[in-house]
Amino acid sequence: MARFRQSKDIMSIRVLTGITTTGTPHLGNYAGAIRPAITASKNSDVESFYFLADYHALIKADDPVRVAQSRQELAAAWLACGLDPARVTFYRQSDIAEIPQLTWLLTCVTGKGLLNRAHAYKAAVDKNNEIGEDPDAGVTAGLYMYPVLMAADILAFNAHRVPVGRDQVQHLEMARDIGQRFNHIYGDAWRQLTGKTGEPLMLPEAQVDEHVATLPGLDGRKMSKSYNNTIPLFLPTNEMRKRIMSIVTDSRAPGEPKDANDSHLFQIYRAFASDTQTAAMRQAFAGGISWSEAKRQLFDLIETTVAPMRESYLRLLQRPGELEDILREGARKARAEAAPLLEELKAAVGLSDFRTLPPPPIIIDAGLAPAEITLSSNATVSISKPPSFKQYRESDGRFYFKLIDGEGKVLIQSPGHASPREAGQWIARLKQTGTVLEMDTEGMLCLNGEAVGSMGDATLAAINEALVQLHDD
Ligand code: TRP
């Protein structure tokens, strides 16, 4: 069907990852995420989608200045580090209208229980419980919905592989669960509408790279903005020198041999050095290099790597229009992928262009009086009121009910009951889903062998059809 996108003949591996825009890029981000992602994007059999997860940022930060700065800094940093926007689709999450749209479609198939199990949400609840607070104190629905938004980021592009840190593996599993659930519910409708085979949503794989360097920070713990121990990637030269000189070391004196393997300074060095440089530094450690000399060499090494990138970083930050253009072009490419998919998914759930649909059967609406309505096509259809039960008391003191159709014709006439309750119980039984009446040899209507009443001016089929319309869900 030409209305929907055609499948690609040649499928390359699509790799997608997001960067939350809450902080300033540091050496740990560079070695652990930026550099490996850029290297991977140069591989010709992959199609890379990298984006700034600026909607995710709002979950963690409610400081607009910080979010605004971070997305500019991260955009400039990735480009300055060598990301080529001509070969990679590089965009801001908030520029892709299809992501929040898909988020809603996915929200409606996601079990609340699944989200209750998300680590980030659970950690917040556990912390509240520990301090005797209300379990959900300070927990926003944004934090709760985080995994669904992330699933939409990925599923909107049919990504195959998602490079993430260990802490994100659960989110990838959830993205798969959510995608699978969508496929299960809407797969048939999607295949019918599009004429395609397969599934509407691709289930992504997490890619956790064990070889990627995790850098220690100034204090030896993992470099992270939450520990306040980072070395920002683009510090001015002098600041960079000072920061590196403040890396915490032990008290071994110059001349004393030092163990490279348990030195975090060495680990940082190794992340930027060639094999030869690494081997030489290991030797120097064994030979008793002083900590200040080792730091000086680390600074030189980092400065050599960073200086040219810093220059383009600063240049880009000074040209916001250029950055904006690059990201808008990325968004255009990204939306060209997501929009056709979303159109299919919306159609699959029942949200499609009216012109593509057959006219629906006329719905019988209790609020409408019997009337003749004319449809825009030339069919004339009469709409009648739905059937209904009437309860009443006769002069014999007994309680009766009857079932009448929309025009007031009697379908079932009950015998007299001793109480209104008894008559009401019959009505309730008749409204139960799947109720089907039979006729006994005397012409009485029966439900499972019990007499319900006599048949009015109708056929048994019409009576049963009326009961189907009336059943309680
Ligand atoms: N949640 C991820 C993180 O904090 C960032 C992210 C958002 C992401 N959407 C994504 C990563 C989609 C991969 C795919 O690291």
Side-chain angles (χ1 to χ4, degrees), residues 225-418:
K225 121 183 129 259
S226 35
Y227 295 144
N228 203 16
N229 64 356
T230 68
I231 304 174
L233 181 55
F234 294 124
L235 282 178
T237 307
N238 274 331
E239 295 301 315
M240 180 66 95
R241 183 183 292 111
K242 276 194 227 156
R243 198 61 78 103
I244 288 174
M245 290 302 172
S246 75
I247 293 174
V248 175
T249 51
D250 63 25
S251 56
R252 261 169 279 193
E256 255 186 88
K258 298 173 177 67
D259 185 0
N261 290 336
D262 67 26
S263 157
H264 49 270
L265 192 146
F266 181 78
Q267 278 179 56
I268 301 174
Y269 186 89
R270 187 166 60 181
F272 291 87
S274 67
D275 289 351
T276 332
Q277 287 170 315
T278 304
M281 184 56 97
R282 192 181 282 286
Q283 280 277 305
F285 264 63
I289 186 174
S290 72
W291 286 123
S292 60
E293 176 57 17
K295 286 177 182 177
R296 204 188 55 71
Q297 289 193 26
L298 174 60
F299 166 73
D300 284 346
L301 177 65
I302 288 178
E303 185 60 17
T304 314
T305 313
V306 166
M309 303 193 301
R310 182 194 288 125
E311 209 172 296
S312 45
Y313 175 77
L314 295 174
R315 191 162 30 80
L316 279 166
L317 285 185
Q318 258 134 50
R319 297 183 194 173
E322 195 175 312
L323 270 182
E324 184 67 31
D325 287 347
I326 291 171
L327 288 162
R328 285 191 189 187
E329 174 55 17
R332 193 196 57 73
K333 286 199 285 180
R335 294 191 72 184
E337 294 291 326
L341 173 62
L342 220 81
E343 195 195 337
E344 289 179 10
L345 300 178
K346 284 178 75 176
V349 303
L351 309 177
S352 43
D353 183 333
F354 281 167
R355 290 166 300 193
T356 65
L357 299 171
I362 298 305
I363 313 259
I364 315 243
D365 183 329
L368 286 179
E372 294 248 308
I373 59 158
T374 309
L375 296 179
S376 61
S377 69
N378 41 30
T380 303
V381 181
S382 96
I383 292 193
S384 53
K385 280 184 10 187
S388 56
F389 283 101
K390 299 279 179 250
Q391 257 186 286
Y392 56 98
R393 189 175 192 187
E394 285 282 9
S395 53
D396 62 3
R398 299 185 71 78
F399 299 87
Y400 294 80
F401 68 85
K402 55 190 177 182
L403 174 63
I404 59 171
D405 73 6
E407 271 118 50
K409 235 170 31 179
V410 177
L411 303 177
I412 302 175
Q413 173 63 62
S414 80
H417 292 282

Side-chain angles (χ1 to χ4, degrees), residues 16-20 51 53 56 60 146 150 153-154 162 164 168:
L16 175 146
T17 198
I19 307 110
T20 308
F51 69 97
H56 275 95
K60 298 185 187 164
Y146 183 122
M150 183 157 158
D153 290 335
I154 301 166
V162 182
V164 283
Q168 297 292 318

Side-chain angles (χ1 to χ4, degrees), residues 38 41-42 78-79 81-90 333:
I38 292 174
S41 75
K42 292 182 175 153
W78 279 71
L79 294 166
C81 291
L83 187 78
D84 177 0
R87 69 180 304 146
V88 172
T89 305
F90 184 50
K333 286 199 285 180

